[in-house]
Amino acid sequence: MQSVVAELIALLVETAPRVARISVFIAAGVFAANVAVAFGLVRYVAGLSGRLTRPANLPNEVGTAILTTAVSTTAGYATLAEYRESGLLDDRATLVAVVINTFFGFVQHVFTYYVPVLIPILGTEVGAVYVSARAGIALAITVTGVLLGGLLLSERNVDRAALADVDASGPEADDRGARERVSAAAEKSWSTLRRIVPRLAVVYVLVIGLVTHYDVEALTSVAEPITGVLGLPGEAVPVIAVYTLDTTAGAVTLTGTDPGTFTTRTAVATLLIGGILSFAVSTFRRSIPFQYGIWGAEFGTKVIVVNTALKLLFISLTVALLLAPVW
C-alpha cells in the first residue's frame, strides 16, 4: 500500500509542472482570444483569414483561430474548442478546421526549433531539405483540409446564429468600457479553464503512469525490417530508434555516423521514418493529454486519429518520393 501511495505521489510530482505549464499557455491563449473578441479585433483579422476559410465553407471567424495557431497551438485549438462548444461548428466542421490548422501549427516550430536547433545539427543541406519536406507535408495536409471542407461542408455544419456571441457589429456598437471588456474576457476564460484543466491533469497522470509501467520504447523494434525493405543503411536503425524518442538526439545520432553513410535523400527519409514511429510514443506522451484536455476523450480521439492518419499518409508519400530511383 505504501509503495502504491509513493508511486502516486511521484506521478503527481512529475505531472504537476507539465499541467501547470500547459495551463498557463491555455489561459494566455484563451484570454487573448477573448480580449480580441471583446474589442472587436476579430473583425479585422477575419478579412485575411476569410481567404483560407471561405473555400472550405467555414466562417471567417474560424480562420482567426486557425491563424492564431501560428503563434500558439494551444490558443488556436482552445479557440476552436470554444466555437464547437458554442455550437458554431459541428464535429465535422471542427475536424476540417483542425486539419487546416496543420501548416500554421508547423510555422511556429520553424522559428522556435527547426531553424535555431535542428538545421545547425544536421547541416545546411540536410537540414534545409528536411525542414522543407516537413513544411511540404504540413502544407499538403492543410490544403487537403480546405478541399475536404469544400466537398463535405455546407450550411448544415455551421450554425451562424452562434456568431451573435462572437462577432457583434463591432466595438462601436458596444458601450462597455475597456475595463469591463477585459473583465468579461477574463470571466469567460476562467469558465473555459475550469472545464479543461482538471481533465488535463487527470489524463496526464494516467498517461505518465502507463508509460512508466509499460515498455513503450519496444515499439521501435519494427524499424529494422522497414529500413531493410527500403534499402537504407544499417546505421539508420539506431538513428530511427533514438529519433523516435527524442528528435534532437536522433539528429545528433545521424550526424555522428561516418561521412558518406547517408546521402541527403536517405538521411531525410530516415528522419521522416523516425517521425512516423515517434507517433506511437508522442501519442501517449503528448497528443492524448493535450487533445483530451482540449476536447474530451470522445472527440479528442477523433482528432488524434484524423491528424495521425493524414500525417502518416503524407510522410509515407514523401519517403517514397525521396527514395524513388528515378532521380
Side-chain angles (χ1 to χ4, degrees):
M1 181 65 181
Q2 290 181 342
S3 62
V4 173
V5 173
E7 287 184 9
L8 180 58
I9 292 175
L11 279 175
L12 294 175
V13 170
E14 183 177 355
T15 55
R18 303 186 189 189
V19 173
R21 185 170 59 252
I22 196 69
S23 298
V24 169
F25 287 137
I26 291 174
V30 172
F31 179 67
N34 286 329
V35 168
V37 170
F39 282 89
L41 298 180
V42 170
R43 251 188 348 155
Y44 305 104
V45 181
L48 173 62
S49 61
R51 297 178 181 273
L52 180 70
T53 54
R54 277 192 292 270
N57 294 322
L58 290 170
N60 291 352
E61 288 75 11
V62 175
T64 304
I66 292 171
L67 293 178
T68 300
T69 307
V71 179
S72 169
T73 303
T74 302
Y77 269 87
T79 304
L80 286 178
E82 284 293 296
Y83 288 155
R84 178 173 174 265
E85 291 285 340
S86 71
L88 172 61
L89 304 177
D90 69 2
D91 283 1
R92 179 182 294 183
T94 304
L95 283 173
V96 168
V98 167
V99 172
I100 297 174
N101 249 346
T102 304
F103 179 75
F104 299 93
F106 171 83
V107 166
Q108 63 170 300
H109 296 301
V110 171
F111 302 102
T112 60
Y113 177 69
Y114 287 112
V115 170
V117 178
L118 206 59
I119 289 181
I121 293 174
L122 294 173
T124 303
E125 183 176 347
V126 173
V129 173
Y130 176 70
V131 174
S132 297
R134 293 304 298 256
I137 290 165
L139 182 59
I141 294 173
T142 289
V143 171
T144 299
V146 174
L147 294 175
L148 289 174
L151 292 172
L152 301 178
L153 299 184
S154 67
E155 290 295 328
R156 294 192 301 272
N157 306 106
V158 178
D159 180 10
R160 295 183 184 273
L163 286 175
D165 297 328
V166 178
D167 185 25
S169 50
E172 61 274 7
D174 192 340
D175 58 0
R176 294 179 300 171
R179 181 174 297 180
E180 291 175 302
R181 298 187 194 192
V182 172
S183 176
E187 184 177 349
K188 186 176 180 181
S189 301
W190 174 242
S191 175
T192 301
L193 290 173
R194 283 188 302 176
R195 185 182 70 254
I196 292 178
V197 172
R199 185 167 60 198
L200 185 70
V202 172
V203 173
Y204 255 119
V205 172
L206 293 176
V207 169
I208 296 301
L210 180 63
V211 172
T212 301
H213 290 88
Y214 292 91
D215 186 15
V216 180
E217 297 182 14
L219 295 171
T220 62
S221 62
V222 301
E224 191 166 358
I226 293 175
T227 57
V229 169
L230 295 176
L232 294 173
E235 289 83 351
V237 174
V239 172
I240 292 171
V242 175
Y243 189 92
T244 298
L245 304 174
D246 185 89
T247 55
T248 304
V252 171
T253 303
L254 186 144
T255 57
T257 58
D258 294 333
T261 301
F262 291 94
T263 65
T264 297
R265 288 195 291 164
T266 57
V268 173
T270 296
L271 295 175
L272 290 175
I273 293 171
I276 290 176
L277 297 180
S278 71
F279 288 142
V281 177
S282 64
T283 295
F284 280 103
R285 291 184 174 176
R286 291 186 292 273
S287 294
I288 289 178
F290 177 75
Q291 301 293 359
Y292 280 23
I294 294 291
W295 309 104
E298 183 178 355
F299 191 73
T301 299
K302 294 180 182 178
V303 170
I304 291 171
V305 169
V306 170
N307 277 341
T308 300
L310 288 171
K311 287 178 181 177
L312 289 175
L313 172 63
F314 284 102
I315 290 178
S316 299
L317 290 174
T318 304
V319 170
L321 178 62
L322 284 168
L323 298 180
V326 295
W327 63 290

